[in-house]
Amino acid sequence: MLHKTRGIGLSYLRYRESSIITKIYTEAFGIQTYIVNGVRSSKSKNNRIALFQPLTLLDMVVYHKNKEDTVHRISELKCYAPFHSIPFDVIKSSLALFITEILGKTLREEESNELLFRFIEESILYLDDAEANFENFHIQFLMQLASYLGFGIETVDDLERELKSNHYPQLPDFVEHQNIEQLLFSDYGLSIPLDRTRRIRILEKLIFFYKIHMETLGEIRSMEVLIEVLR
């Protein structure tokens, strides 16, 4: 059957001579894998491969045969909110790669979750539109995403307690405690005097916190690039 859904591009792999296998987080079906033929062909009239770049927001018509199928096909595809800045700003594109890697490793449900989809969509649109004060975007994204994944951070004390009980080597000092509290309970765009060292420490604590709840998270390869870019 054919179904209409919105989707958020996460990743793709080359498949055979001109095709790709892409992973997309869909509004209607959760995380799904699709095979797309001819997208890399030199004879293609338009550059459709751009539609599968990280975090691209998609309108899709998809063909799902059975619920048991692990790979599906796309009938129609277009971007419904073209980016204005993310691909052209080195900081934003590094943030986008980090967020994409996190989503690729944490999204597991193959079913609709409208609230989660809307949160991710609105976060992406914020990042693309932001003109300033987005250097802490990735930290706040992790804090908020945790709630949708079922292990939200209620208070800074709860976070510190859980880190300590899992033998995290360094707990926040008073200033860092305040920084985390501000970020936890504020919307995107909060401007606080957070230096590079503290930003890195907070990010590392959050990744450790995620690994407590998701043992298969593994190494986040984009972190190193992100930390370098956010000097």
Side-chain angles (χ1 to χ4, degrees):
M1 289 181 62
L2 290 173
H3 306 270
K4 289 185 178 181
T5 183
R6 291 184 297 172
I8 299 170
L10 296 180
S11 63
Y12 69 85
L13 297 171
R14 295 183 179 187
Y15 178 68
R16 293 183 177 172
E17 191 172 327
S18 62
S19 303
I20 62 169
I21 294 176
T22 180
K23 184 180 288 187
I24 297 175
Y25 183 64
T26 69
E27 185 176 26
F29 304 104
I31 194 78
Q32 293 292 333
T33 301
Y34 299 92
I35 184 169
V36 187
N37 295 324
V39 72
R40 295 169 42 236
S41 172
S42 59
K43 297 179 182 179
S44 179
K45 294 181 180 179
N46 46 44
N47 185 22
R48 289 202 303 150
I49 196 69
L51 293 171
F52 301 96
Q53 298 305 309
L55 303 186
T56 303
L57 300 172
L58 301 165
D59 267 329
M60 309 167 65
V61 178
V62 296
Y63 186 69
H64 285 212
K65 282 185 179 180
N66 302 300
K67 215 170 183 180
E68 295 76 21
D69 290 344
T70 56
V71 180
H72 307 280
R73 292 188 178 271
I74 299 174
S75 175
E76 299 176 29
L77 184 73
K78 66 178 181 179
C79 174
Y80 66 83
F83 291 145
H84 305 294
S85 65
I86 288 177
F88 316 108
D89 183 301
V90 66
I91 294 178
K92 287 187 177 184
S93 59
S94 298
L95 288 166
L97 286 173
F98 173 78
I99 296 304
T100 302
E101 185 174 1
I102 291 292
L103 292 175
K105 291 186 173 185
T106 58
L107 297 179
R108 292 289 180 266
E109 292 184 3
E110 295 182 358
E111 58 187 41
S112 176
N113 187 332
E114 186 178 339
L115 291 177
L116 174 56
F117 185 91
R118 191 184 307 152
F119 159 70
I120 299 171
E121 176 191 50
E122 290 175 354
S123 297
I124 295 167
L125 292 173
Y126 162 80
L127 180 61
D128 192 51
D129 289 339
E131 296 182 357
N133 301 326
F134 53 84
E135 61 274 6
N136 298 319
F137 167 80
H138 55 308
I139 292 174
Q140 291 183 285
F141 182 87
L142 287 176
M143 289 175 170
Q144 295 180 48
L145 178 64
S147 298
Y148 293 94
L149 297 177
F151 50 90
I153 304 167
E154 298 293 332
T155 68
V156 185
D157 289 334
D158 288 342
L159 173 63
E160 292 178 12
R161 197 176 300 113
E162 191 158 357
L163 290 172
K164 186 176 181 179
S165 66
N166 284 274
H167 311 293
Y168 191 79
Q170 184 183 36
L171 294 178
D173 58 24
F174 177 73
V175 174
E176 195 171 307
H177 182 105
Q178 286 187 314
N179 292 154
I180 295 173
E181 191 167 54
Q182 287 176 293
L183 292 166
L184 183 59
F185 297 109
S186 300
D187 293 329
Y188 293 135
L190 173 70
S191 179
I192 63 172
L194 188 63
D195 62 36
R196 179 175 182 270
T197 300
R198 291 191 188 280
R199 184 179 292 114
I200 292 171
R201 286 214 306 249
I202 292 172
L203 178 59
E204 289 173 342
K205 286 177 173 64
L206 288 172
I207 294 297
F208 186 89
F209 173 74
Y210 266 67
K211 288 180 178 179
I212 293 171
H213 294 274
M214 306 189 78
E215 294 180 355
T216 59
L217 189 67
E219 179 189 3
I220 307 300
R221 296 181 180 179
S222 56
M223 263 186 69
E224 187 175 342
V225 174
L226 181 60
I227 289 169
E228 185 65 28
V229 167
L230 287 173
R231 276 185 176 276

